[in-house]
DNA sequence: CACCTGACATAAT
DNA sequence: AATTATGCCAGGT
């Protein structure tokens, strides 16, 4: 049995910020990091990576800077990425070549 | 486009 | 408790 990974205050902030993202929009690790008063994006991605809140926290709505998808939690073979891209497309966020097609979809905190 | 550095948190040693 | 290594990064050279 694997030990539970209790979310920390920092992670909770990341989850809250991520949850703030309305449907059909996306955000970047950097923006979230700034929103929670942290200049680090890795810490943000780190929190999302654990994602104890699963689909409740739309980590797929969070992309890297430069409007790139960046990676994904456990991107085993890149197949999961496609799934998220599709979900985003369904929500109204179009991605082209793994990059955000409409910067207008960027959510501002 | 490739490489290295910077900033922050978690897990492991 | 401290240090080391790593991680859905970012940014500059």
């Amino acid at each position: 049995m694997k030990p539970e990974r209790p979310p920390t205050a920092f992670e909770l902030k990341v989850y809250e910020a991520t949850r703030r993202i309305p449907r059909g929009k996306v955000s970047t690790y950097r923006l979230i990091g700034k929103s929670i008063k942290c200049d680090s994006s890795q810490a943000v991605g780190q929190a999302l990576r654990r994602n104890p809140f699963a689909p409740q926290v739309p980590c797929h709505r969070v992309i890297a800077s430069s409007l790139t998808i960046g990676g994904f939690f456990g991107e085993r073979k890149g197949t999961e990425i496609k799934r998220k891209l599709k979900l985003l497309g369904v929500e109204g966020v179009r991605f082209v070549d793994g990059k955000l097609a409409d910067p207008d979809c960027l959510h501002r905190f």
Side-chain angles (χ1 to χ4, degrees):
Chain A
M1 207 51 184
K2 284 158 291 187
E4 290 261 308
R5 283 133 205 192
T8 62
F10 186 82
E11 288 190 4
L12 292 176
K13 282 182 168 179
V14 178
Y15 305 142
E16 284 181 72
T18 306
R19 255 213 279 162
R20 283 189 202 173
I21 305 176
R23 177 180 163 278
K25 287 214 169 151
V26 290
S27 184
T28 70
Y29 300 103
R30 204 22 125 64
L31 294 212
I32 294 178
K34 300 268 188 164
S35 300
I36 65 179
K37 223 56 174 104
C38 272
D39 215 27
S40 40
S41 3
Q42 279 222 287
V44 176
Q46 208 47 287
L48 290 178
R49 171 232 226 181
R50 322 228 38 182
N51 202 353
F53 290 89
Q56 187 179 333
V57 178
C59 29
H60 58 265
R61 279 186 201 154
V62 185
I63 62 178
S65 64
S66 293
L67 313 178
T68 39
I69 280 290
F72 212 59
F73 69 97
E75 194 197 346
R76 305 179 192 205
K77 290 162 187 87
T79 48
E80 305 256 347
I81 292 285
K82 282 183 78 176
R83 188 194 307 188
K84 270 64 193 195
L85 250 26
K86 195 171 184 177
L87 287 174
L88 288 170
V90 171
E91 295 199 348
V93 185
R94 288 157 280 203
F95 272 86
V96 176
D97 190 48
K99 304 206 169 51
L100 187 65
D102 291 307
D104 184 67
C105 297
L106 259 188
H107 169 63
R108 311 178 199 195
F109 290 95

